[in-house]
Amino acid sequence: MATQDLSGVPFASANEQQNFRLMELPEPLLELLSSPEPPTLAIKSLPPPKQSNVAQAQNSAHAVLCTPGKTYHLRQVQTSNSVLLAEPTEIQENPDAIPVTAISAIASCGHMLELHPVSDSPLPLLRNAVPLFESPAQARVETWPRRGAAEVFADIPFSDEECQRACVELAAFELEGAMVRPSDEALLANWRGLISAATAEGINLASQFQMQDLLRMMEEDETCCAPLVQATLRLLSLDEEAGADVWEWATVNRSKSIMWVGCMLLRVRSSAGPLMTATFLDEWKDALPEAWRDDVDLVTIKDEYILPTSTTIVHKSNAASLPSIPTGAAPAAAPAKGPRKWHDKFKATRRESGSQR
């Protein structure tokens, strides 16, 4: 009668257990790590609040895993089955016995790490982390932390590429070693100077033009900030992949620029209260190149405003803090005009030509 071989492979448990965490990889990440040139991964978290104690810091702490272009939440879950990590070893039943190949458990994992893609944006975190730039005259350079993009991104729990795209959206730039983000007022003033310079030089922003020609004209104005001009053009560039600080050539996306200017202008002008819709539309047209004026339409910014009355308009971000607006409310007062700059002389010419069309 045949007998069954029950010898099998000996199994043992190491006296000193090691600490491991198993991580379940999503398919895209597994493919990325299996590629011929796998990237370096980073684990990031927000720095603890300055005034927090240890307990508060632990309660608010969370970590993410970042590839160069994507971010994953790290979530620890308990396993329903016992998971042992083992490695080959040799064991002897007694000192005189011949060593035999066996398997030794070196760790027991009761928890695993799951990865979940992050769908949020780093924009809110970057707004809090990067100081505000109001204007060259009001720049408080000495009070800004000297942190460049790499240092800022290190404390933002998102991938570097996601942080970089958010910086482009904020028109953030580096000034004297510090990363800053311009206010809406600074962006609007910069855009108006840019339009005036382009008009003076006969530059069609929607066609390819030389960056240095525009910068040279704008630098005649003491309020010009070249890094801000470059950041604005990078934001509005027709080439969405443009990431360099300086290009020899640039082309502005016309439709994106019209929408961006309208949203920004409405945020600034309605910050003190609703303004007349007709007034806003006129100012919006005046803030654009002459050839773009006919493209102005509220439909372009339909998700950015509300109409308190049939004749007034306010940006959604400003509406929450305002009291109820009575019908027939007066338009917001126009901002006081400052000293005339070199580009002011082009406004009258543009308006006259517009009225003659």
Side-chain angles (χ1 to χ4, degrees):
M1 180 177 179
T3 58
Q4 187 176 6
D5 184 6
L6 300 177
S7 57
V9 178
F11 181 84
S13 179
N15 291 329
E16 295 185 4
Q17 295 286 291
Q18 301 181 35
N19 293 320
F20 282 90
R21 281 290 184 272
L22 296 180
M23 182 181 296
E24 186 176 354
L25 299 180
E27 189 65 28
L29 183 54
L30 179 60
E31 292 178 1
L32 187 64
L33 294 178
S34 303
S35 63
E37 297 182 1
T40 300
L41 304 183
I43 294 180
K44 290 184 176 183
S45 65
L46 279 175
K50 294 181 179 180
Q51 303 299 325
S52 64
N53 54 37
V54 175
Q56 290 173 332
Q58 290 177 341
N59 290 334
S60 62
H62 69 279
V64 296
L65 180 73
C66 298
T67 69
K70 196 168 182 61
T71 305
Y72 295 89
H73 281 302
L74 283 170
R75 180 185 174 192
Q76 181 172 276
V77 296
Q78 189 171 1
T79 58
S80 57
N81 300 317
S82 297
V83 178
L84 300 177
L85 293 184
E87 65 179 8
T89 187
E90 290 186 344
I91 60 175
Q92 292 176 281
E93 292 185 1
N94 57 69
D96 297 328
I98 299 175
V100 296
T101 301
I103 294 177
S104 175
I106 60 174
S108 175
C109 298
H111 298 81
M112 295 185 65
L113 294 176
E114 291 183 344
L115 298 178
H116 300 273
V118 174
S119 58
D120 297 330
S121 168
L123 273 172
L125 295 177
L126 282 169
R127 283 195 181 99
N128 291 332
V130 178
L132 196 64
F133 174 89
E134 299 285 356
S135 70
Q138 298 176 350
R140 299 184 297 274
V141 180
E142 67 281 355
T143 66
W144 293 337
R146 291 297 192 274
R147 298 200 305 164
E151 293 173 282
V152 172
F153 294 171
D155 288 336
I156 304 296
F158 284 87
S159 69
D160 286 354
E161 289 181 13
E162 290 171 304
C163 289
Q164 182 59 47
R165 287 194 294 270
C167 282
V168 171
E169 189 172 343
L170 291 172
F173 59 95
E174 290 193 30
L175 186 64
E176 298 187 24
M179 172 168 277
V180 295
R181 61 180 179 88
S183 65
D184 286 339
E185 291 79 4
L187 284 169
L188 190 57
N190 174 74
W191 171 258
R192 284 172 170 154
L194 190 153
I195 292 300
S196 296
T199 302
E201 284 290 299
I203 296 174
N204 180 3
L205 295 176
S207 299
Q208 197 174 56
F209 61 91
Q210 282 193 308
M211 174 79 75
Q212 291 304 318
D213 290 343
L214 188 62
L215 286 175
R216 184 174 58 253
M217 190 67 178
M218 293 189 69
E219 285 172 354
E220 296 180 12
D221 186 347
E222 69 278 3
T223 64
C224 172
C225 177
L228 176 54
V229 176
Q230 294 163 355
T232 303
L233 291 175
R234 183 169 61 245
L235 166 63
L236 301 176
S237 172
L238 195 61
D239 179 10
E240 295 185 356
E241 299 300 321
D245 290 333
V246 179
W247 316 278
E248 183 178 355
W249 298 89
T251 307
V252 169
N253 186 319
R254 176 170 173 166
S255 58
K256 181 178 181 180
S257 299
I258 292 172
M259 179 178 64
W260 178 77
V261 171
C263 292
M264 180 175 54
L265 178 64
L266 185 58
R267 277 198 305 269
V268 172
R269 291 288 285 113
S270 66
S271 59
L275 68 155
M276 298 297 290
T277 305
T279 300
F280 165 67
L281 290 173
D282 287 341
E283 292 184 9
W284 188 1
K285 292 177 181 179
D286 288 342
L288 297 172
E290 187 66 31
W292 299 4
R293 292 171 64 91
D294 290 341
D295 293 348
V296 167
D297 194 321
L298 288 179
V299 174
T300 309
I301 57 171
K302 61 182 180 180
D303 297 326
E304 300 292 330
Y305 70 88
I306 61 173
L307 301 174
T309 70
S310 60
T311 58
T312 58
I313 189 170
V314 65
H315 193 274
K316 283 185 176 180
S317 63
N318 298 326
S321 60
L322 296 175
S324 57
I325 308 299
T327 303
K337 295 183 178 179
R340 290 176 63 86
K341 299 183 176 62
W342 66 268
H343 51 74
D344 288 344
K345 61 184 179 181
F346 295 102
K347 292 183 179 178
T349 303
R350 293 176 64 240
R351 288 177 177 171
E352 289 176 4
S353 61
S355 62
Q356 294 173 1
R357 288 185 301 128

